[in-house]
Amino acid sequence: MASPAREQPTAEQTQDAPTVEVDEDEADSAYGGDASTASTSLRTNVLKYEWKHGRRYHSYQAGSYSFPNDDQEQDRLDMIHHVYYRALNNRLFLAPIDPNGLKILDIGTGTGIWPIHVGDEHPEASLIVGNDLSAIQPKWTPPNVKFIVDDVELDWIETETYDYIHCRYMAGSIRDWPRLVRQIYDNLKPGGWVEFQESANTMYSEDGSLASDNMMVKMMDGLMEACDKIGRTLDPAPSMKSWAETAGFANVKEQRFKIPVGSWPKDPRLKEIGSFMVYNFAEGVEAFTAVLFKDVLGWSQEEIAVLNAGVRAAARRKDVHTLFDFLVITGQKPA
């Protein structure tokens, strides 16, 4: 499988993200997590699941999401929430909104940690709704938070419009992104805001330390190939600004942040993020590869096991300074 050329972002793309300085005295890092509080009930009983490759998957609209929803994966998703929160300098969103009295929707909410976090920080928000294919959210939430089971790729069942719609970490999950962006536009109030948060899933290094034969690169190449085969791109982030503009959004802005893999950065915040990302790959690689490599690419279990072991080892290397770009795209529906 050939690896595409990996060009470093242009100066214009990285104007808000200076080069990440390497910590030459880096020592072993500890990993941690993030927790959230909770207080009203989840209104759904859609709790059926599928089991394959030793992991648990959603059954509603089975196959439209290629990753598990079991406890191990939920812990990883909550950790990724913390990574993105820290990447944005302890901010949950960048859209210029005041949550007071707003109706907010979180698409593909996963464990529900983003709506819960917003509800905890902004009790003045009128309503925060999270939707997902899996009913894995906690039963107790802040009073202004609720969850529904729904497939956002179908016609939306709720008729109410929102002041702000948030969509994060949905790569590999959506078949028709332009249609989804149009649905978001149609379900926003005039003057309302949308925000997409997604990593650009081409790894790179600023010092040339990431080689094309790195096992993390090989894994990402395979995931992109598999997602392209099933028609659900793993790399929607670079196109989101264009999709938002085409749908009619105004004041569209793209901001770019760096996410390292490894505890090699000198900056304490980036070091923390990088340490979590090591854990993300070491503990999450089985979830990434199980369905897409075996069922879509046709790899044997032995080949997948070798790849997974190589990814774990590559993620822990301190001499390779891997980066992702994390993109935040905001836009406003004209009043």
Side-chain angles (χ1 to χ4, degrees), residues 289-314:
T289 60
V291 168
L292 291 174
F293 276 77
K294 186 173 180 60
D295 298 348
V296 179
L297 297 183
W299 285 36
S300 71
Q301 197 59 50
E302 291 74 20
E303 289 174 319
I304 295 173
V306 170
L307 173 68
N308 291 351
V311 168
R312 293 186 185 99

Side-chain angles (χ1 to χ4, degrees), residues 5-22:
R6 280 163 174 73
E7 297 181 356
Q8 294 189 15
T10 65
E12 181 180 359
Q13 290 173 320
T14 59
Q15 59 183 343
D16 296 324
T19 301
V20 180
E21 190 175 359
V22 178

